[in-house]
């Protein structure tokens, strides 16, 4: 269902930019103040075109969703609309990717390998 839409989006943004999307499944984790508060299976979709756009959505099996985007002014990463940043944790799992919310002491991770 989403693949034709992503293909059309890719055609619309074609040009000199390198663009693409990836989809995968894994486990998502939610940490608050360093403590694991939730984990569930999730589907991850990530799309990017060099420095033009980036977004990733994580659809948790329990109905929760996470949205990671570049801010409109390209000054940083937004995690569910809040300023944040990316962390790769290769010491835990080569496929593990985490995003932290700057002011919230929250960490959201997935091991889908879709960056």
């Amino acid at each position: 269902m989403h693949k034709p839409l992503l293909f059309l989006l890719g055609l619309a943004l074609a040009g000199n930019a390198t663009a693409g999307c990836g989809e995968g499944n894994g486990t998502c984790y939610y940490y608050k103040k360093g403590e694991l508060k939730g984990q569930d299976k999730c589907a991850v979709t990530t799309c990017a075109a060099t420095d033009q756009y980036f977004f990733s959505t994580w659809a948790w099996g329990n109905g929760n969703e996470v949205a990671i985007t570049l801010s409109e002014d390209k000054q940083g990463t937004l995690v569910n609309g809040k300023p944040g940043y990316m962390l790769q944790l290769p010491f835990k799992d080569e496929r593990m990717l985490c995003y932290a919310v700057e002011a919230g002491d929250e960490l959201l991770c997935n091991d889908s390998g879709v960056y």
Side-chain angles (χ1 to χ4, degrees), residues 86-100:
M86 179 183 81
L87 301 166
Q88 282 187 290
L89 305 173
F91 57 87
K92 177 150 175 72
D93 181 336
E94 287 181 13
R95 299 168 55 94
M96 185 71 73
L97 179 68
C98 298
Y99 286 89

Side-chain angles (χ1 to χ4, degrees), residues 40-81:
D40 203 347
K41 298 224 178 284
C42 63
V44 177
T45 301
T46 300
C47 296
T50 43
D51 66 344
Q52 296 175 1
Y53 66 89
F54 173 88
F55 66 89
S56 185
T57 56
W58 306 358
W60 290 53
N62 63 11
N64 291 338
E65 290 187 1
V66 175
I68 295 110
T69 58
L70 281 178
S71 63
E72 288 185 22
D73 56 10
K74 297 185 183 176
Q75 294 299 310
T77 301
L78 298 177
V79 181
N80 284 342

